[in-house]
Amino acid sequence: MGRERRAAVGAELMRDRAALVERIVAEVHAEVPAYRALHGSQLAEVRAITAWLVTRSLELWAAGAKRLTAEDVERLRGIGRSRAADGRSIGAVVRAHRVGSVAAVRAVAEYAGDRLDTTDVFAMSELWMTSIDQISESLAAGHAETARRMDADLERARRAFLDDLLIGRQASRGAIRDRARTLGIAPPDPGVLVVAEPVGDEGPVTASSALELAARVEPAGGEPLVTTRSGRVVLLLAPDDADRAARALDGGTWRGCVPAARPLADVSAAYRLADGALETAPPHAFGSAGSGGSGGPGGLLGEADACVLALLNGGPVTPDAVRRAVLGPLLTESGAHLLETLRAYFREGAATVAADALHVHAQTLRYRLRRVRELTGHDPHRPWSRFVLETACAIAP
């Protein structure tokens, strides 16, 4: 059979193209689970693509071509880009095209098999085998291209969302909820901020280093929000992940501040507090900082440290907030004797002298100081922790 006869067979098939397309689409629908959920405009698009591929394949077969043209390949890349944009996996898309190709060849064989000679069959087989490779490669390339762009766009949008929270631009709970839903994320509310900076010659903070730090945290409460501001990394985590962040930052190459958890609408206050603490804290504060109820080991400042620093530097904090952040449980009725002990220790300057002043055994006083450390996260015997506790005691009623 020559090219004219192939063209005639192709023309006959095209006269009933709608039925041929429906047959192919039905097989794809039956064989590829991801395509069973398609409806309306999505199914119309699948039919249009199927009709185009069937028409092009028959045209190329009739012309003796052995592969799709460059224009066809570019169109397939565009289809791959569109499928990435609407969320279809590349595996499902490629499988759908393979199933459709087999269905199309089967339909041609059933319709005109008795009129095809060996040359025609080999020509069709060669064209379809080459084409399916081109189809798969082109779809995958277009899909990957758009997926990378969408990932980058989504990451930028997530960073912008956290940036807006940090500067207080998203102050309404409703606005925060709506924007999070649009981005397809569920940020923790309340959330814990981790504001960290490299120590020494670790180099500048970049988006890449920020993501690496977030990966080191290995949060259990979901994917964190990450951004960089003023040479620092800022992470928004679930409260339960604060200890994980502390461990991730405890290698000596980072130092940071972890204020107490706050509602998302109040994250900007936590950021101002942490940012100010990192700006003003003396070096020895990072070597002996306590958790203050939210932070971690040396290298990290907590809520209590940040509040004291803010008070000393005219930051946005009240004396009452400092008292509560630093002394916490000691301000309750059951902790009153511990607060009295702590004040006596600071006033007298030595445990034995303070014990005599309180008429208790020295061992009792040392036990109480250990309880202070356990409850507040600050050790009265360490210089920075002592300073934090003594400052709070000086303003406590």
Side-chain angles (χ1 to χ4, degrees), residues 6-22 24 47-62 104 107-108 111-112 115 124 128:
R6 291 182 198 171
V9 170
E12 291 174 18
L13 286 167
M14 285 300 95
R15 280 195 288 271
D16 198 19
R17 187 176 66 171
L20 178 59
V21 167
E22 285 302 321
I24 294 171
R47 292 189 182 96
I49 293 170
T50 303
W52 168 67
L53 279 172
V54 167
T55 301
R56 286 298 292 143
S57 298
L58 292 173
E59 289 173 349
L60 293 168
W61 176 56
V108 172
Y111 179 79
R115 289 180 285 165
M124 178 171 285
W128 278 98

Side-chain angles (χ1 to χ4, degrees), residues 80 88-95 136 139-141 143:
R88 253 172 277 176
S89 73
I90 186 58
V93 174
V94 169
R95 186 181 176 202
S136 299
L139 289 171
H143 194 282

